[in-house]
Amino acid sequence: MNKQEQLLETKKYIRQELGNESSGHDWWHIERVRKLSLKIAETEIAETESADLFTVELAALLHDLDDWKLNDNGTESYTKTANWLKKINIEDEVRHQIIDIIKQVSFKGAGVNTKPDSLEAQIVQDADRLDAIGAIGIARAFSYGGNKNRLLHDPGSKPEYHDSFEAYKANGGSTINHFYEKLVLLKDLMNTDTAKQYAESRHEFMERFLHQFFDEWEAKE
Ligand code: ADP
Ligand code: NI
């Protein structure tokens, strides 16, 4: 199998695995992250650094396959990802690199430092985070909240600052709280200059949404 075929087979596999996922991690989230990752990588490469596009694309495609949010026991084992990479004959070194990237992508709480060490991982993390903010981010947050039976907003419960991954995972608060616990923080956590630029208008749109939401909540005109 050549690289193009490996990517094509991976797309088919992910479409089959996550096609009907209903918490905002469906195939189209993966496809948006794949596209954004390549776009960021191409801009970054043109400007300064070098990133391996094949690694970026493969990691983007596989980044949510073993995500704790999608697994019944809430853990990440990376076995599906590792097995798939072996099945399509990805060499050991690249397989370890891809799993290493995926481990670093996820948000783990406002107080947990998750800055990745390689440019490839930084790019996929930025792309994944861009898809969690803006209009699409808002849509995904409420879709996730609905899937997990969360309230839209609960005025009595305040957002929490999570300084461990365990505390972040255990949290079952409202979707509006999630905006303050994660989504509005992402703009300042982007790694690449390209993603920082993209994040600006998405962030602003979310701020406007929250403003309007609270006005309506208070029955303001
Ligand atoms: P990450 O790995 O950084 O969590 P994902 O691609 O897995 O990134 O997706 C995170 C998505 O799940 C976001 O769009 C986010 O809105 C949603 N999400 C996660 N936790 C919550 C929550 N407690 N309430 C609402 N949405 C959530
Ligand atoms: Ni994702």
Side-chain angles (χ1 to χ4, degrees):
M1 239 191 265
N2 65 31
K3 286 185 173 178
Q4 279 319 310
E5 288 164 342
Q6 285 168 325
L7 289 169
L8 198 68
E9 287 306 310
T10 304
K11 278 186 203 171
K12 279 197 226 157
Y13 172 58
I14 293 296
R15 257 189 123 120
Q16 177 194 314
E17 289 289 305
L18 298 181
N20 294 323
E21 208 285 330
S22 57
S23 72
H25 296 82
D26 57 285
W27 159 252
W28 294 109
H29 161 63
I30 306 301
E31 175 61 4
R32 289 190 302 271
V33 172
R34 184 188 75 85
K35 270 200 208 148
L36 270 170
S37 296
L38 288 176
K39 211 163 164 180
I40 296 170
E42 277 155 15
T43 319
E44 292 291 314
I45 293 167
E47 285 180 0
T48 43
E49 302 182 72
S50 83
D52 185 71
L53 289 181
F54 176 71
T55 309
V56 166
E57 188 166 357
L58 202 49
L61 284 170
L62 292 165
H63 85 272
D64 272 336
L65 183 61
D66 282 310
D67 193 280
W68 62 274
K69 293 188 270 345
L70 315 185
N71 293 332
D72 293 339
N73 58 6
T75 57
E76 282 171 301
S77 61
Y78 305 101
T79 39
K80 275 197 210 170
T81 308
N83 288 341
W84 175 255
L85 292 169
K86 282 183 202 157
K87 192 167 171 193
I88 58 167
N89 295 321
I90 298 291
E91 57 187 275
D92 290 356
E93 197 190 321
V94 180
R95 186 178 80 242
H96 293 309
Q97 204 188 343
I98 303 255
I99 291 175
D100 203 44
I101 292 174
I102 295 171
K103 277 186 189 165
Q104 298 182 63
V105 165
S106 234
F107 187 81
K108 297 185 173 66
V112 186
N113 178 10
T114 45
K115 185 156 179 98
D117 52 18
S118 69
L119 181 59
E120 285 83 358
Q122 292 180 1
I123 288 169
V124 181
Q125 186 184 68
D126 280 356
D128 194 31
R129 290 178 171 185
L130 284 172
D131 205 56
I133 62 176
I136 287 181
I138 295 168
R140 290 182 69 218
F142 288 103
S143 151
Y144 184 93
N147 181 277
K148 306 277 177 196
N149 292 317
R150 306 276 168 87
L151 286 177
L152 299 181
H153 176 42
D154 180 7
S157 88
K158 296 289 161 231
E160 290 170 27
Y161 181 87
H162 302 111
D163 51 18
S164 77
F165 190 25
E166 291 314 309
Y168 176 69
K169 282 203 279 193
N171 167 49
S174 73
T175 301
I176 286 292
N177 277 357
H178 185 67
F179 280 79
Y180 295 98
E181 290 164 353
K182 172 182 174 189
L183 306 183
V184 301
L185 310 176
L186 294 178
K187 169 177 80 77
D188 293 328
L189 294 172
M190 294 293 163
N191 305 294
T192 63
D193 288 343
T194 314
K196 282 179 194 157
Q197 279 175 17
Y198 274 59
E200 288 294 333
S201 69
R202 293 179 189 225
H203 180 84
E204 241 174 68
F205 186 80
M206 252 183 346
E207 294 282 12
R208 274 193 284 139
F209 166 79
L210 288 166
H211 193 85
Q212 174 87 12
F213 185 98
F214 290 117
D215 276 357
E216 293 179 15
W217 193 270
E218 299 299 337
K220 285 189 193 153
E221 252 187 75

